[in-house]
Amino acid sequence: MWVRTRAIVATSLVVAVIAGIGIYLVLRDVRDNLRLPIAGRSCTVRAEGHVRLNAEQMANAATIAAIGIQRNMPERAVVVALATAYQESGLENLAGGDRDSIGLFQQRPSQGWGTPEQIRDPRYAANKFYAGLKKVRGWEEMRVTDAAQAVQRSAFPEAYQKWSDESEVLTRALLGDATAAVACTVGRTPTMRGVAAATALTQSLTLDWGLPGTVDAAELTGLTVPAADPRDGWRYAHWLVSHAHDHGVKRVRFADLEWTASRGTWSRTSDRDRQDARVVAEVFDEA
């Protein structure tokens, strides 16, 4: 009888453990799926692949990519950075996380990443990640997840790999390797308008890309950005569309294509006075 009772108890414990593991895995998948871009979100990226993001995710992805280029990091570094932010925060600038983790990369002040205020700044966080990646010997030849793990020291070292495909699509678009690849829909109530929008847009573009003195205001309702070549032009154009919601961008033009907030898509323009050597952006007028 005693042996039988022990067997029943042991079996019950095994079932409980298995059930617990199953619940954990389901909850982890639910957590990860909540981070996945879903249909109906604000931005669509098409560059030898297809990604959907909301406005905040798109803006953060564009800033991460721009900081990588400003630091003269190769495209592979941008893929690793985006995959890391995908996994750690869903490309959202989180106010908290596990223990004292903060921000896009869930960096921890207690681990020397910086102060909470610094880490909440997406530009600072991206710079710190790239600086950490650059110190990893041979990261260029590593899998995305191994390179990310060498910087992050995560409890789930394989988790970053599942975001590599999405990150490669984003990188191709945001680094100008694709034409008219980022299309976002902006609501009827943009975050900014008029002079405030044009000023903030100019400042953010300069900070993200490191372009002091090269961004010109256009009658206080927008800006123009010189483009050395088509690739640079599409980098800036895609960045502008990515930040359309948070900076009140109404229209972006480059080459013979134009994106508008009203349509949320790119289309051909018949503007005979267009200049292929510059990107032109217009913000919403004052309400």
Side-chain angles (χ1 to χ4, degrees):
M1 183 71 178
W2 171 244
V3 173
R4 183 178 179 184
T5 301
R6 289 182 62 186
I8 293 174
V9 171
T11 301
S12 299
L13 287 174
V14 170
V15 171
V17 169
I18 293 173
I21 293 173
I23 292 171
Y24 167 76
L25 292 174
V26 169
L27 290 175
R28 188 181 68 179
D29 287 343
V30 169
R31 179 200 66 188
D32 288 341
N33 287 334
L34 287 174
R35 294 176 176 177
L36 284 169
I38 59 175
R41 294 298 179 112
S42 299
C43 298
T44 301
V45 183
R46 298 182 187 277
E48 298 179 30
H50 180 215
V51 173
R52 290 184 183 273
L53 298 175
N54 65 33
E56 179 186 358
Q57 291 172 316
M58 193 71 243
N60 287 329
T63 289
I64 290 171
I67 294 298
I69 295 303
Q70 186 181 160
R71 293 182 62 94
N72 295 314
M73 298 294 285
E75 288 195 21
R76 181 70 172 174
V78 176
V79 173
V80 174
L82 288 171
T84 302
Y86 247 128
Q87 171 59 27
E88 295 291 354
S89 68
L91 286 171
E92 295 183 354
N93 194 19
L94 301 180
D98 179 43
R99 287 169 285 188
D100 60 337
S101 300
I102 300 170
L104 285 171
F105 296 90
Q106 289 292 278
Q107 294 156 334
R108 299 178 59 192
S110 64
Q111 300 298 314
W113 287 99
T115 67
E117 292 74 19
Q118 288 174 322
I119 297 172
R120 289 190 190 101
D121 178 357
R123 297 182 185 97
Y124 174 91
N127 267 301
K128 291 293 286 186
F129 178 84
Y130 286 121
L133 182 63
K134 197 171 183 178
K135 294 177 182 178
V136 177
R137 178 177 295 182
W139 70 266
E140 297 93 337
E141 286 75 43
M142 294 179 181
R143 291 187 305 155
V144 167
T145 198
D146 294 332
Q149 173 65 4
V151 179
Q152 298 294 107
R153 307 291 184 183
S154 169
F156 303 97
E158 291 292 322
Y160 305 103
Q161 192 65 34
K162 65 176 175 285
W163 302 111
S164 61
D165 290 344
E166 289 88 342
S167 298
E168 288 175 359
V169 172
L170 288 173
T171 298
R172 282 191 289 269
L174 293 171
L175 269 57
D177 295 328
T179 298
V182 177
C184 296
T185 301
V186 178
R188 297 180 179 179
T189 55
T191 305
M192 296 183 180
R193 290 177 175 268
V195 175
T199 300
L201 189 63
T202 301
Q203 291 174 344
S204 294
L205 184 63
T206 300
L207 289 170
D208 275 15
W209 288 100
L211 303 171
T214 62
V215 180
D216 299 319
E219 298 180 357
L220 299 181
T221 59
L223 54 86
T224 61
V225 189
D229 53 46
R231 191 183 190 206
D232 272 356
W234 285 114
R235 286 177 177 179
Y236 304 144
H238 290 155
W239 184 97
L240 288 162
V241 174
S242 298
H243 284 276
H245 176 74
D246 59 350
H247 283 73
V249 180
K250 180 180 180 181
R251 186 188 312 273
V252 177
R253 287 186 181 186
F254 181 62
D256 60 348
L257 293 170
E258 176 184 77
W259 169 90
T260 61
S262 60
R263 293 192 305 267
T265 58
W266 289 89
S267 60
R268 298 285 176 184
T269 176
S270 58
D271 185 1
R272 295 181 179 179
D273 296 326
R274 64 182 176 82
Q275 297 184 32
D276 292 349
R278 68 177 186 172
V279 182
V280 179
E282 177 187 349
V283 299
F284 282 91
D285 294 334
E286 297 285 358

